[in-house]
Amino acid sequence: MRTGDYFFKQVISKIAMLIIVLCGATLLAFLFSNLSPTDPAEAFVRRTTSNPTQEQIAIVREEMGLNKPFTEQYFGWIGNALQGNLGISLRTRIPVAEELPGTLFATLSLAGMATLFAVIFTVPNSIYAAAHKDRTFDQATKITTIFGMSLPNFWIGSMLLVLFAVALPIFNVVDFGNIKSTILPALALAVPMAAASIRVLRSNLISSYQSDFVTYARALGLPESKINRMVLKDSLPPMITLLFQQFGFTLAGSAAVEGVFSWPGIGSYMVSGILARDLPVINACVLVIAVLFVLINFAADMINLAIGRDMENGKEGFRV
């Protein structure tokens, strides 16, 4: 019962922290996007008019609401965003709420496949390396993962593009919407993710095998298969946190890889908005990425809490 009360209190505290972080994320997103010395109204008018006057710039600034106090702009933006109104792109004159879902889906599909590849690479390699600690495979894994974490994903993407789309035309990277076209950019994102995850999971597996509860379980005569499952479950929370964070980082930092593969994701969409000083697009992209990142970390915390509660119940069970 006490475990259940603790779990409930942890969930409530995580939800309260989620709300606070979301408020801070939206405030910072709006603040940083408005810190540029370039006047969005002036930038927009200069793209549409050869010799704009100050009166024309002032009219556009008023239409965009930039003449209002910062707090009024912020709360007005939040109120509109909660109603699904993210403004109209200054570059395309299309509502951002209509353009954003397609780009977000493209990046989510890319990040999802990259995470899947990372899990496929991580789990078996980590288990085998931990089971053969300090042997040849483990030493090779250490060296390989260091290189994997050091290489920029856009460089990995460029090499994959040259090898498997140019030299060996196996993949057609310009055919967006086809699963086959997702493989190379997903692999470019997955390599650093898998390298970091392998090191974390391997280290946790070794530490768990040396823990007291494993010694006690073996003394009780529990099957090795059951001990292995318990060790893997005990080692998962740090890797889950890392993978979920990497998934969030991929959403925010996929622009370089998307640029290499001409992928129409939210990263490319945000970069084009920044270059055009398209404030509604910038605000909307930063807001969506920030909210998703916070929600992804919240989901990781909930999964880890559930795993932790299950592990505690299991340990208590065989102690009794």
Side-chain angles (χ1 to χ4, degrees):
M1 184 65 180
R2 284 181 300 178
T3 303
D5 291 341
Y6 173 77
F7 179 76
F8 180 75
K9 290 179 180 178
Q10 285 293 309
V11 171
I12 294 300
S13 66
K14 295 291 184 184
I15 293 175
M17 184 60 66
L18 171 68
I19 296 173
I20 294 173
V21 172
L22 280 176
C23 292
T26 57
L27 178 60
L28 289 175
F30 188 79
L31 175 63
F32 288 140
S33 63
N34 285 270
L35 284 179
S36 172
T38 303
D39 185 355
E42 183 177 354
F44 172 72
V45 174
R46 290 191 180 279
R47 284 200 306 272
T48 57
T49 307
S50 57
N51 294 308
T53 63
Q54 290 299 318
E55 290 76 11
Q56 290 174 313
I57 296 174
I59 292 172
V60 173
R61 187 180 292 111
E62 184 175 354
E63 291 176 353
M64 296 172 65
L66 298 175
N67 59 331
K68 298 178 182 178
F70 175 81
T71 54
E72 188 175 344
Q73 290 184 50
Y74 170 70
F75 286 111
W77 174 62
I78 288 294
N80 290 331
L82 291 174
Q83 299 176 40
N85 179 12
L86 297 174
I88 297 176
S89 171
L90 303 179
R91 181 169 49 90
T92 63
R93 307 308 297 168
I94 299 174
V96 178
E98 295 181 9
E99 294 182 322
L100 192 59
T103 63
L104 180 60
F105 175 78
T107 299
L108 285 173
S109 62
L110 190 62
M113 182 169 284
T115 305
L116 177 62
F117 284 153
V119 172
I120 293 172
F121 295 152
T122 297
V123 176
N125 283 289
S126 300
I127 293 174
Y128 195 80
H132 300 79
K133 183 176 179 291
D134 295 331
R135 297 183 185 177
T136 303
F137 182 83
D138 186 36
Q139 296 294 344
T141 300
K142 292 179 183 177
I143 296 172
T144 304
T145 52
I146 290 174
F147 277 106
M149 291 188 298
S150 303
L151 297 175
N153 51 25
F154 65 86
W155 184 87
I156 298 172
S158 299
M159 294 300 101
L160 291 173
L161 186 66
V162 170
L163 287 174
F164 298 108
V166 179
L168 298 172
I170 300 174
F171 297 98
N172 184 8
V173 296
V174 296
D175 188 16
F176 173 71
N178 190 313
I179 294 179
K180 194 175 179 180
S181 67
T182 314
I183 293 177
L184 290 185
L187 281 174
L189 293 170
V191 169
M193 294 172 65
S197 299
I198 288 172
R199 295 185 69 87
V200 170
L201 184 57
R202 171 197 167 276
S203 176
N204 290 331
L205 285 169
I206 293 173
S207 177
S208 293
Y209 272 118
Q210 297 172 348
S211 62
D212 293 338
F213 84 87
V214 171
T215 303
Y216 190 68
R218 284 173 174 160
L220 291 175
L222 290 181
E224 197 67 25
S225 59
K226 184 175 182 179
I227 294 175
N228 290 337
R229 289 195 298 270
M230 292 181 63
V231 167
L232 180 59
K233 187 180 292 186
D234 188 54
S235 305
L236 281 179
M239 196 196 79
I240 289 174
T241 300
L242 179 62
L243 277 175
F244 274 64
Q245 286 181 344
Q246 288 176 327
F247 183 85
F249 288 141
T250 300
L251 295 179
S254 60
V257 172
E258 290 178 359
V260 171
F261 291 93
S262 300
W263 194 262
I266 193 171
S268 299
Y269 182 59
M270 182 168 61
V271 169
S272 65
I274 292 173
L275 294 176
R277 194 66 182 106
D278 195 340
L279 201 59
V281 168
I282 298 171
N283 286 337
C285 289
V286 174
L287 172 65
V288 170
I289 290 172
V291 170
L292 283 176
F293 190 83
V294 172
L295 292 176
I296 287 167
N297 280 278
F298 175 74
D301 288 340
M302 293 298 99
I303 293 173
N304 287 339
L305 281 175
I307 292 175
R309 183 176 65 169
D310 190 40
M311 282 298 300
E312 286 299 320
N313 292 337
K315 292 176 185 178
E316 289 295 330
F318 73 72
R319 282 171 188 159
V320 176

